[in-house]
Amino acid sequence: MLQIKQKNAGSRSEWLVENRYTFGTGIENNYKVSGANVNSVQAGLEVNGDNVALFNLGGGDSVCHNGDVLEKNVVLKPGDEFSVGDAVYIIEDPKQNRREQHQEPRSWSLRAQNTALANKTYVLSGTQIIGRSNECDICLNVVHLSRRHARLTVEEDTIQIDDLESSNGTFVNGQRIESAQVKAGDEIAFDTLRFILMGPQTNSEKTQIRVAADSDATTMRPAMTNAEAKQKYAAAAKKPSPNSNDNAQVKAAPVQTEKKEASNPAQEETSGSTKAMMILIGLLIIAVAGYVLLG
């Protein structure tokens, strides 16, 4: 389903829910318009889902489509403009607008942040004047805006913005400015009307984003300086590792055990020989004594 919105009038988009709409000077019309040679019922819309046809019902040159006089009828597409008398209307497709918002911008534009402007996007090119005068390139019919509020100039990688001595000021990221260079992502405000500047991302900006991401990761786990690293590793070298001591003890234990086990049989053999020797000496003494006594 498509929407219709009166251009440069500060009005909101309206859903085309009815089958027919009429435009003219009479009060019976859905949209009452004025202008030279406009009849009581001058133009009409026939709506069938996303198919919208515009008819010049009153004839003459009071109905135009994309700047050309409409003689009979034409099928409208999203983004088409048509006028009836002094009123200019635009056909919008909200689904298409949402898709465009999620796509990486290929050109410079201002995306409205105020609900009154319904997130509308204004494409920027060359040099454009923004204000509430109908003569401005971007006309916003808001009472707080000056007739010629500011000038926007598209440069290679930035936008030059100049305040045209407006009554209520031009602001960039909350700071009032007279002249400034702005880049994609900056918030620009004309009095209370706030916009986000959308633009093609340059290679330098992509590099800055990657550097910022790396720096955030480094902040979470700070890197040591050369001096800190030397001090840390020097201290570690002087202090033996607990693990290495444990390993040394584990390896030494079996060696000590083996030595102990190897020495035990020798000690037992020596002790047995001594006992046998003492027994033999005792027996010899007894034999000598018996010989003496018997002899």
Side-chain angles (χ1 to χ4, degrees):
M1 186 178 296
L2 302 181
Q3 293 181 331
I4 184 173
K5 179 180 180 180
Q6 187 173 355
K7 187 178 180 182
N8 300 336
S11 59
R12 294 187 178 183
S13 302
E14 298 177 357
W15 291 101
L16 292 171
V17 296
E18 303 292 339
N19 294 328
R20 293 178 178 83
Y21 295 86
T22 58
F23 303 77
T25 58
I27 60 174
E28 70 275 14
N29 294 284
N30 302 94
Y31 295 92
K32 186 177 180 180
V33 298
S34 60
N37 303 322
V38 177
N39 295 320
S40 178
V41 179
Q42 181 64 50
L45 289 180
E46 292 283 341
V47 181
N48 182 14
D50 285 347
N51 295 320
V52 180
L54 172 66
F55 293 82
N56 186 352
L57 302 176
D61 59 357
S62 299
V63 181
C64 296
H65 170 246
N66 290 337
D68 298 325
V69 175
L70 180 64
E71 296 182 358
K72 293 182 179 180
N73 60 72
V74 66
V75 176
L76 301 175
K77 301 184 298 296
D80 280 0
E81 296 182 5
F82 69 92
S83 61
V84 182
D86 296 332
V88 181
Y89 300 90
I90 185 170
I91 298 296
E92 297 179 336
D93 182 355
K95 298 188 296 295
Q96 180 177 332
N97 291 342
R98 286 194 293 270
R99 288 194 297 269
E100 291 175 351
Q101 289 176 4
H102 288 86
Q103 293 176 352
E104 183 177 347
R106 298 180 180 179
S107 59
W108 293 101
S109 62
L110 287 176
R111 181 178 297 171
Q113 300 299 295
N114 302 74
T115 55
L117 295 178
N119 295 323
K120 186 168 179 61
T121 298
Y122 301 88
V123 178
L124 304 177
S125 61
T127 299
Q128 293 172 288
I129 304 296
I130 186 169
R132 60 183 174 85
S133 171
N134 290 330
E135 298 176 355
C136 293
D137 302 291
I138 301 176
C139 177
L140 302 174
N141 191 15
V142 180
V143 65
H144 299 297
L145 234 60
S146 297
R147 291 182 59 81
R148 290 168 54 87
H149 197 100
R151 179 175 58 246
L152 299 168
T153 305
V154 177
E155 299 181 349
E156 184 177 358
D157 293 330
T158 60
I159 297 287
Q160 175 72 29
I161 182 170
D162 299 292
D163 183 77
L164 301 180
E165 298 182 354
S166 62
S167 300
N168 296 321
T170 299
F171 301 82
V172 175
N173 297 328
Q175 300 294 322
R176 186 165 184 170
I177 60 95
E178 294 182 359
S179 179
Q181 282 191 333
V182 291
K183 60 184 183 301
D186 284 345
E187 182 186 82
I188 301 173
F190 308 103
D191 187 35
T192 58
L193 292 181
R194 295 180 298 106
F195 300 84
I196 294 296
L197 180 64
M198 311 298 295
Q201 196 176 55
T202 63
N203 292 331
S204 61
E205 288 172 341
K206 293 179 181 178
T207 302
Q208 290 172 0
I209 291 175
R210 288 196 294 269
V211 170
D214 292 341
S215 64
D216 291 342
T218 303
T219 302
M220 294 172 63
R221 188 173 61 185
M224 292 184 296
T225 63
N226 291 339
E228 291 172 339
K230 291 179 180 179
Q231 182 178 1
K232 178 180 178 180
Y233 293 121
K238 293 179 181 179
K239 182 178 179 181
S241 172
N243 294 334
S244 61
N245 290 339
D246 293 343
N247 293 336
Q249 293 174 1
V250 171
K251 293 179 180 178
V255 175
Q256 295 175 356
T257 302
E258 291 173 358
K259 289 181 180 180
K260 184 176 181 181
E261 291 176 352
S263 62
N264 285 340
Q267 292 176 356
E268 290 176 356
E269 184 178 354
T270 303
S271 177
S273 300
T274 303
K275 289 179 181 180
M277 183 64 71
M278 292 177 66
I279 292 172
L280 289 175
I281 294 173
L283 291 175
L284 183 60
I285 294 173
I286 293 173
V288 172
Y291 177 78
V292 172
L293 291 174
L294 293 175

